[in-house]
Amino acid sequence: MPEDLLQAPPADAPKPGARPADVPEKFWDAETGTLRAEALLKSYRELERRLSQRAAPPGSDAPAEDLLRFRQAMGIPETPDAYSITPPHELCCADAEVNGRLHQAHFSNAQAQLVYDLAAERLLPLIAEAAAEFEADRQREKLAAHFGGEERFRQVAAQLSAWGRSHLPPPVYEALSSTAEGVMALERMMQKGEPGLAREAAPPTAESEGELRAMMRDPRYWRSREPEFVRRVTDGFRRLVGS
């Protein structure tokens, strides 16, 4: 039978495509010209399993070589004393026992440094606050013993506070009221009716050892080292020695 030339010729069957250069041969089906999805998924799962094992520290029964490789990969020093810690504060220097605990927990150098930085940032203010409260309680106990009990001290404290605020410049009152010795000196001043100074006047010259020691606790003496304030303390001790 003659061929009908008016009919379109049948399409040729698709030929399998060539394997792309970036597709490994084991993942390519040459017959169908497509990826082997099952083989690809299997290989991906195996790779994921190995990566998760590598990220986790070796078990206690693992060879020493595995532990060494893990530490090298994670940036962990070989020994605790190999940590390079920059002290964030003079009270937060590197500690051998702490470093040993950090090394046992597989902390990298950066993670160990963060522990010290957080200790300085969070714990030191709490320690300083607790120390200040402890010292204040100790000073109050000393004053309570001096005045004959807590109740008597509260009564006298109110009188001393009122007198000191009305007769002394604020910096002098703050310095005297911050220590037991200063409060006792304030009591003596009130009993003698001293000093005859205006609130705006310069701080009086201390004449007793208690007053001088109270002035030494003033930040102007031990922190900012104001020359005039330091001179008054020095001259006061000279007068005591001379007398």
Side-chain angles (χ1 to χ4, degrees):
M1 184 175 180
E3 184 177 354
D4 187 350
L5 300 180
L6 300 180
Q7 297 295 324
D12 295 334
K15 297 180 180 180
R19 176 173 60 85
D22 57 349
V23 176
E25 185 175 354
K26 65 178 180 178
F27 298 136
W28 186 255
D29 189 332
E31 293 183 2
T32 61
T34 58
L35 286 171
R36 291 179 175 175
E38 187 62 31
L40 186 62
L41 288 174
K42 182 179 179 181
S43 179
Y44 172 79
R45 294 192 189 100
E46 179 64 19
L47 177 62
E48 190 178 52
R49 184 184 65 82
R50 291 186 179 183
L51 288 176
S52 63
Q53 290 179 344
R54 181 175 298 180
S60 57
D61 57 344
E65 294 78 8
D66 291 351
L67 182 59
L68 179 60
R69 282 194 296 269
F70 168 77
R71 286 175 173 166
Q72 291 175 344
M74 300 300 292
I76 302 171
E78 293 186 14
T79 58
D81 56 5
Y83 280 119
S84 179
I85 302 297
T86 301
H89 188 277
E90 60 183 5
L91 297 179
C92 282
C93 299
D95 182 87
E97 184 177 353
V98 172
N99 287 352
R101 297 282 297 275
L102 296 177
H103 192 262
Q104 187 178 8
H106 306 296
F107 275 52
S108 67
N109 194 88
Q111 291 171 326
Q113 180 69 58
L114 179 60
V115 171
Y116 285 95
D117 291 344
L118 289 175
E121 178 184 340
R122 299 292 183 177
L123 295 182
L124 287 183
L126 296 177
I127 295 174
E129 182 179 351
E133 291 179 357
F134 173 80
E135 178 61 21
D137 291 341
R138 193 178 69 86
Q139 295 287 319
R140 291 190 185 95
E141 290 176 359
K142 187 175 181 179
L143 288 170
H146 171 75
F147 288 106
E150 287 285 347
E151 184 63 28
R152 174 59 180 164
F153 170 55
R154 281 195 292 268
Q155 296 173 359
V156 175
Q159 299 173 6
L160 292 175
S161 178
W163 187 89
R165 293 179 186 276
S166 62
H167 289 78
L168 300 176
V172 177
Y173 171 77
E174 291 173 4
L176 292 176
S177 63
S178 62
T179 65
E181 290 81 1
V183 172
M184 295 175 191
L186 187 61
E187 178 196 22
R188 291 193 297 270
M189 294 167 65
M190 185 180 73
Q191 290 173 347
K192 295 178 182 179
E194 299 177 352
L197 298 173
R199 287 171 56 84
E200 293 78 13
T205 301
E207 296 182 356
S208 70
E209 183 178 356
E211 293 174 83
L212 290 172
R213 293 193 180 279
M215 293 178 68
M216 291 176 66
R217 290 183 175 86
D218 191 295
R220 290 175 293 174
Y221 179 84
W222 61 266
R223 183 169 61 194
S224 58
R225 301 290 295 175
E226 296 182 12
E228 181 61 23
F229 198 87
V230 174
R231 183 188 64 78
R232 285 200 297 270
V233 175
T234 303
D235 291 347
F237 275 108
R238 284 176 179 169
R239 283 191 297 273
L240 285 177
V241 173
S243 62

